[in-house]
Amino acid sequence: MNRHRVAVIAGDGIGQEVMPAAIDCLDLVAGLYGLDLDWHHLGWGSDHYRAHGRMLPVDGLDVLAEHDAIFLGAVGVPDIPDVETLWGLLIPIRRRFEQYVNLRPVKTLPGVRSPLADSGPIDLVVVRENNEGEYSEIGGRMYRGLPEEFAVQESVFTRRGVDRVARYAARLAASRGGRLTSATKSNGIVHTMPFWDEVVREALADFPEVELRSELIDALAASLVLHPGRYDVIVASNLFGDILSDLAGAITGSIGVAPSANLNPEGRHPSMFEPVHGSAPDIAGQGVANPVGQIWSGAMMLDALGHPAAAAHLVAAFEAALAGGTRTRDLGGQASTAAFTEVVRGHIEDLARTGEHAGTADPDGS
């Protein structure tokens, strides 16, 4: 149970820099908890696309299926359309492995200033439906280049899809503050959003301990900026969840530190863990990228693999680094990727000696 095969796709740009930093920290924590993380590095991404016309091999998904988890860096380069990189790698993985929950925790971190006038603490989680909704493949374009050209994109909402993400969000809310906000637009989108509202309400009937509030997406976006402390867990469709989680990350001070997990909650397939930030080609290769998003995503992976104490230890270590004033350039500091990582490593070892991390088990695997 303590050995896990992990597929690693570092990807493009700063993914090549933050991935080694995260693995370095994860290996150190794993050693303290008696874990064996068996990394399998896969050279897929934009370089593979240039060489083969595909983001991953024909049997790539079958290869990934043999692993316990997938650790993904940043994907995307200026010379390849995003539609190729996204639909050629990320979305096929999410759908093949039924990773129907995209989990994005958002909280204020020590030493990271929020741009909001009200700088009170923020601690919420966005639960994004990850397999259907607005990001469907149904649609197309006709009469390209002509005055009558048009495009059609269909949204797909199924009862099963909405119900299972709503129930996941409800269970999460029950374990936290007991408040769940559902993002909708049922006053303007007349079919899919009223259906979303109906299925969410039906699912929440089984969770009387959870307070459900439904908010229109435009009002919710504004309220998230004005009153972020009101929110605990937000459940949203694929598009709405994507936008809200980026917004929420920005109001805590930097989307560059935000993590995410693409979960198959039942564990029938591997889940995938990745930072929210992109490949940042403008700073790639300079050694200044912030590795927090990748490290935090690694902590989420440890938690999902059944090691919450090790995950908490890793989070406490990078929070201690930030609290001590070590920050990369994007957060107003001067630390390089390597320097920040070394400070995190130091805190991992210090916390192991003092036992002051938030974990519940001793750092020996017990």
Side-chain angles (χ1 to χ4, degrees):
M1 292 180 63
N2 287 344
R3 183 176 188 273
H4 305 286
R5 288 169 50 87
V6 182
V8 178
I9 306 173
D12 307 314
I14 63 170
Q16 297 286 335
E17 300 167 58
V18 297
M19 181 64 79
I23 288 177
D24 196 15
C25 295
L26 283 160
D27 278 339
L28 184 56
V29 169
L32 294 170
Y33 286 82
L35 308 179
D36 179 8
L37 299 177
D38 183 12
W39 306 105
H40 290 212
H41 294 268
L42 304 170
W44 302 344
S46 295
D47 285 344
H48 191 277
Y49 180 90
R50 293 189 188 100
H52 305 284
R54 301 175 53 91
M55 292 294 291
L56 73 170
V58 175
D59 65 344
L61 296 177
D62 293 332
V63 171
L64 293 176
E66 299 173 356
H67 295 78
D68 300 308
I70 303 163
F71 202 29
L72 179 66
V75 178
V77 289
D79 61 306
I80 300 176
D82 287 342
V83 69
E84 297 290 347
T85 55
L86 183 66
W87 286 87
L89 181 69
L90 191 61
I91 291 181
I93 292 173
R94 287 173 172 173
R95 293 185 175 174
R96 163 72 179 271
F97 299 124
E98 292 188 89
Q99 296 168 353
Y100 62 84
V101 169
N102 185 248
L103 193 66
R104 295 189 176 186
V106 177
K107 67 176 181 176
T108 46
L109 295 174
V112 180
R113 292 188 59 186
S114 167
L116 301 182
D118 180 0
S119 57
I122 300 170
D123 184 1
L124 61 92
V125 182
V126 177
V127 178
R128 168 190 173 192
E129 199 291 314
N130 210 32
N131 277 177
E132 51 183 48
E134 302 87 351
Y135 294 178
S136 81
E137 298 177 70
I138 302 172
R141 291 171 61 178
M142 289 187 66
Y143 308 119
R144 291 174 183 262
L146 300 177
E148 60 269 30
E149 181 178 4
F150 68 88
V152 175
Q153 181 81 36
E154 299 286 352
S155 295
V156 176
F157 288 76
T158 67
R159 180 170 293 276
R160 176 173 180 263
V162 178
D163 178 78
R164 64 186 181 180
V165 77
R167 290 179 181 276
Y168 181 92
R171 289 191 293 270
L172 180 61
S175 71
R176 289 170 52 94
R179 293 174 289 122
L180 177 62
T181 302
S182 173
T184 186
K185 190 58 182 171
S186 51
N187 63 340
I189 302 177
V190 299
H191 298 302
T192 56
M193 284 291 103
F195 178 72
W196 168 278
D197 294 345
E198 175 187 324
V199 177
V200 170
R201 283 195 304 268
E202 291 175 359
L204 266 290
D206 292 335
F207 299 87
E209 71 276 25
V210 176
E211 175 192 349
L212 173 65
R213 184 172 62 236
S214 182
E215 294 190 24
L216 298 175
I217 183 65
D218 41 357
L220 174 53
S223 182
L224 198 56
V225 172
L226 296 172
H227 310 290
R230 292 180 180 176
Y231 297 94
D232 183 29
V233 178
I234 299 173
V235 64
S237 67
N238 214 330
L239 176 61
F240 290 175
D242 194 0
I243 295 170
L244 286 174
S245 55
D246 283 5
L247 173 63
I251 64 176
T252 58
S254 174
I255 194 175
V257 300
S260 75
N262 301 274
L263 300 177
N264 173 247
E266 295 77 18
R268 290 193 299 266
H269 309 287
S271 294
M272 178 168 61
F273 305 84
E274 56 170 331
V276 174
H277 66 67
S279 59
D282 57 321
I283 62 168
Q286 299 178 27
V288 298
N290 189 335
V292 168
Q294 193 78 59
I295 295 171
W296 196 353
S297 299
M300 295 182 74
M301 180 173 68
L302 288 176
D303 189 49
L305 290 171
H307 309 292
H313 192 137
L314 183 53
V315 171
F318 74 70
E319 287 186 339
L322 292 170
T326 304
R327 293 187 290 275
T328 47
R329 193 171 71 184
D330 60 307
L331 299 180
Q334 298 297 322
S336 66
T337 308
F340 184 88
T341 304
E342 193 57 34
V343 172
V344 175
R345 285 178 52 87
H347 283 294
I348 290 171
E349 294 172 334
D350 290 345
L351 291 166
R353 286 191 292 269
T354 64
E356 293 179 358
H357 58 88
T360 57
D362 295 329
D364 62 0
S366 61

